[in-house]
Every structure is written in C-alpha cells, then in structure tokens.
Amino acid sequence: MGAPAWGPPVAPTAMGLAASPAAATPTNTTAPRPGDTCTAADLGTRHPYIKTTEVSPTITHFKGWYVTEGTTGNQTISTSTQTTISVSVGLNGNVQGSFAVETLGTVGASLGLNVQVNYSSTSSVSNSVTWNFNQPGYYGVYKGTKKVTGTYGSLNCNRAQQSDGSWALKWIEGPGSGSFTTYTTLEEGAVRCQDNVPAGSIMAKAQDLLDCGSAAAQAEHPAGAVAPTAKQNRDHLVQRPALTSGTSAEQPKATGRSARAALNCEPGAYKIAVPGKPLSWGAPLLAADGVRLRPSTIFSAHLDNWRLCNVTEHNGVIEASLWNWGNGGCATIAAQNAATEQAVLQTAPCTEDDLQRFYIYRDVPGSSKIGVQNKYTGSMMGHDRYADGEFIRQYSSGRQDGTGTYTLIGV
C-alpha cells in the first residue's frame, strides 16, 4: 500500500505537508452546503445536508360516522389507527445522537415546517376525537399529519485543492448517507362528502378516504359508527416502527471477523495530540479500559505512538487502521456500543472490521491538524474536556467547540 500524502514522519515536530497554509474563511456552520468554506476547528465535526424531501398528507386515525337529526352536537368518537408514522433516521428507529437530531431539524428548517426531531410514533397518540356536529350527514372523523420523508448526506471538513493550485478547507460530501421519516403536528377534524376542502390538504385526504361514491357512503344509516368501506380497508396500513438494532443505512457493514488481521503499516509512528498542548491519545494497558488523553513521557512505553495501517485514500480523505505500538491493538469502538453517543474509544486485537477503520480529514498543507471519524458508526472522535485521563469518545456530529481537532505529530 502506498504511503499517504504527507510521507514518512520526521523529527518530533508537527507533520510537514510541503506547502504554506491557505487562509480559510469561517462559514455559517448552522447549515453548511457542499463547497462552503470551513475552518481547522471544523475538522472534527460533521453535519447533515438534505438531498431530497417529500411531504404527503397522511391520515393516521379514521372512523366513518353517521349523524342523524337529534344526534348533532358535541360527541367523542374513538377512531381506528389507519397509518402509523415512526420517526427515524437511517435504519435505527430510535433517533440517537446530535447528528440525527440535526438532520431532522435541518429538514424542518428547509421546508418551513415544525417536524418531530426526537423519536416518536403516531401509534402513541390518543385515538379519540371530540367534535361538534352541527348538521346531520355522513362524516369522516380523522386525525392526520404531514408525513415528511427524504434522503440526507454527510458533510465533513477537509482540504481541497483550488484551480490555481492553492489549498483551502471546504465542506465535502463525506461517507454516510441514508433516509429519514418524520411528521408534523397532528390535526383532527370531521369532513363530509359535500364539503369543499383545499386540494392536497389533510382534510382532502380524509374526504378521499371517506369514499363518497361508495354504496356505504350513500346509504341511510342509524346514528353512530359506519362499517369501513372497501377503500378504507384497502388503504388501511400500519407501519411497524423501524428496527432499533442492526447496521444503520448511513454506516458501512462491519465484517465481525475475529481472526487477527495481517496489517500493512506505514514505517513511521505518530502522536495524536491536542493542538499546542502536551496531552495526546494514550492506549490502555487493560483491554477493558479506553483510550485517554495522557502526557508523553519516557514512561509512556509507546502507548502514545500510533501507526497508520492498510492506508487508502479516496477524494483526498485518508482511510486507515490505527495500530498502537505500545499494546499491539487497533483503535476501535466496541460493537455493543456502536450506536451509543459518547461511547469510549478502545483498543482490541486487530481484525478486518469497519469498527477499526477510521477516516482522517486533513488541514491544508503546512498544517498537521486532523479530524478522525469512525468508518462504521460515522461518528467523530473527540473529548469532553482537556484533562489528564479524559476519555476519547465518539460524537455523532463531533465536538462543535473544536475539541475534536487533533494534530498528527511524527515521532
């Protein structure tokens, strides 16, 4: 495997990248788009961007109801579940982590809609509707919402070469994409066949479900519930909530192999350090412990030295396994913690597993600053606070205060 773009490490100084740094203009990080500028502090962060959206009026609860003379006025009617909408991002039914919440928040902002941004399901909504019927007739009593679906991509900050040969930091489309489902606030009401309603509205959807041309709709009925029409039965759909386990749509597949992998490692070693400060990633001696910020001393026993192995590069983004010189293990997120926000980075025997593969986003040439992302979970590496012994953890959107940006220093 060829050496990465920076070449072998030299003396204990920040890694040289062979050109002078280019200035990067800060961008509005609330909603970056591909090609927008970013800063070195953004190297350890990640944002969603919305590729496609579709909004469709959906009836979640429905009941055909006949009102006769003498039965008008307020009535409370128990409807039947017609369609269940569950909020999800990717294949994980539970919306976990800041990236998923930001994805749904971006959807709402782009459409000008107030959508659900936490895991919820319309199946948990009370199915009773209280309505004042002031005229006799055949009614569709309903609850409904606007179902919002679409696809998203992931944006990461990385160096990009300009047409004049200079370098700049840009938001690029990184690995990780998927689909989402959410919905707006539910509304309820009652509609008759002869009512004029806005086209494309939730009320129009309920009126269509009323199946006004059917014999059941046109027949006389005693007051109360009307048996579902063929159309209502045909359209009845209960969607199961998305699975809460399994590989997310935004994640590559982990192989799960337990055999030790034969790694092709670069000859040099690096410290992954906090910029301008002495603490760097230190691997644990005990398997149950995690990677922590530690000072580098003569007693570090190479636990602060990492090699890049099985290195590949695609569109300027390095992918590598991080092998620790001190304990012989590879950096990894434990499989049982893959979906957990702030799960601790650990080391384990090296295997061919995407949980042990990491993307490395680089600053412009001349700077050694990087951001690190786990390939399988899509989360960025960072730490809560700068302190000896502080764990390195995964954050689905990274650390927005810049503490997920590190330096790769050759040793």
Side-chain angles (χ1 to χ4, degrees):
M1 195 73 66
W6 54 73
V10 293
T13 58
M15 168 187 70
L17 297 179
S20 60
T25 303
T27 186
N28 177 7
T29 58
T30 57
R33 301 292 301 173
D36 287 351
T37 57
C38 53
T39 71
D42 295 317
L43 289 168
T45 64
R46 170 186 183 227
H47 291 283
Y49 80 98
I50 306 307
K51 293 183 173 181
T52 64
T53 57
E54 181 178 347
V55 181
S56 56
T58 302
I59 301 303
T60 59
H61 303 78
F62 188 87
K63 177 75 73 175
W65 196 261
Y66 199 78
V67 176
T68 62
E69 293 286 353
T71 64
T72 54
N74 284 319
Q75 295 192 44
T76 299
I77 299 165
S78 293
T79 60
S80 300
T81 300
Q82 190 71 26
T83 303
T84 295
I85 304 172
S86 295
V87 178
S88 65
V89 177
L91 292 183
N92 192 336
N94 291 322
V95 178
Q96 297 178 337
S98 55
F99 183 83
V101 172
E102 185 181 356
T103 299
L104 297 177
T106 303
V107 171
S110 65
L111 296 174
L113 296 174
N114 183 20
V115 302
Q116 306 298 315
V117 296
N118 295 303
Y119 177 75
S120 60
S121 172
T122 57
S123 63
S124 62
V125 175
S126 169
N127 67 350
S128 62
V129 175
T130 299
W131 200 253
N132 182 21
F133 298 95
N134 53 26
Q135 297 183 54
Y138 178 47
Y139 287 84
V141 182
Y142 68 90
K143 287 188 177 181
T145 185
K146 293 178 180 177
K147 180 180 180 181
V148 183
T149 58
T151 59
Y152 64 87
S154 177
L155 292 181
N156 290 86
C157 183
N158 194 53
R159 68 183 189 182
Q161 193 165 24
Q162 309 302 290
S163 58
D164 61 359
S166 64
W167 294 82
L169 285 177
K170 300 284 187 181
W171 288 108
I172 64 166
E173 183 169 358
S177 60
S179 59
F180 61 85
T181 300
T182 185
Y183 60 93
T184 61
T185 304
L186 268 71
E187 68 175 57
E188 63 181 44
V191 62
R192 299 181 304 164
C193 292
Q194 60 268 44
D195 292 336
N196 291 321
V197 298
S201 64
I202 295 172
M203 186 179 290
K205 192 75 174 178
Q207 191 181 58
D208 179 64
L209 194 60
L210 198 54
D211 200 6
C212 295
S214 68
Q218 297 173 357
E220 293 292 328
H221 297 276
V226 177
T229 66
K231 182 176 181 61
Q232 291 162 21
N233 283 326
R234 185 173 66 251
D235 288 356
H236 179 77
L237 175 64
V238 178
Q239 300 168 341
R240 295 183 182 273
L243 297 176
T244 57
S245 62
T247 302
S248 166
E250 68 184 86
Q251 300 165 353
K253 183 179 180 181
T255 64
R257 283 179 52 183
S258 59
R260 183 182 297 272
L263 298 178
N264 178 16
C265 295
E266 300 300 322
Y270 297 94
K271 291 179 182 178
I272 305 174
V274 177
K277 296 182 179 180
L279 299 184
S280 62
W281 291 18
L285 283 172
L286 302 176
D289 198 4
V291 177
R292 299 172 182 263
L293 290 178
R294 293 295 193 191
S296 296
T297 70
I298 60 173
F299 304 107
S300 297
H302 295 301
L303 290 170
D304 56 346
N305 293 168
W306 302 83
R307 282 182 171 170
L308 306 181
C309 305
N310 292 356
V311 178
T312 61
E313 182 174 347
H314 182 67
N315 290 338
V317 179
I318 295 293
E319 180 186 327
S321 297
L322 303 178
W323 178 82
N324 186 263
W325 190 353
N327 70 10
C330 283
T332 187
I333 298 294
Q336 67 269 24
N337 298 329
T340 304
E341 185 81 350
Q342 299 188 35
V344 172
L345 183 67
Q346 297 179 294
T347 58
C350 299
T351 62
E352 293 294 330
D353 191 326
D354 284 340
L355 284 164
Q356 296 185 2
R357 298 289 287 173
F358 293 84
Y359 298 113
I360 298 175
Y361 300 92
R362 293 171 287 174
D363 199 356
V364 296
S367 168
S368 59
K369 293 181 178 179
I370 62 168
V372 183
Q373 178 183 30
N374 185 269
K375 181 178 181 179
Y376 181 74
T377 68
S379 294
M380 310 300 295
M381 300 300 108
H383 55 273
D384 279 335
R385 61 190 178 96
Y386 179 77
D388 184 1
E390 184 70 15
F391 282 119
I392 302 300
R393 302 174 182 272
Q394 70 167 1
Y395 302 84
S396 58
S397 291
R399 295 284 292 169
Q400 302 303 313
D401 60 1
T403 52
T405 293
Y406 298 98
T407 54
L408 201 61
I409 303 175
V411 296

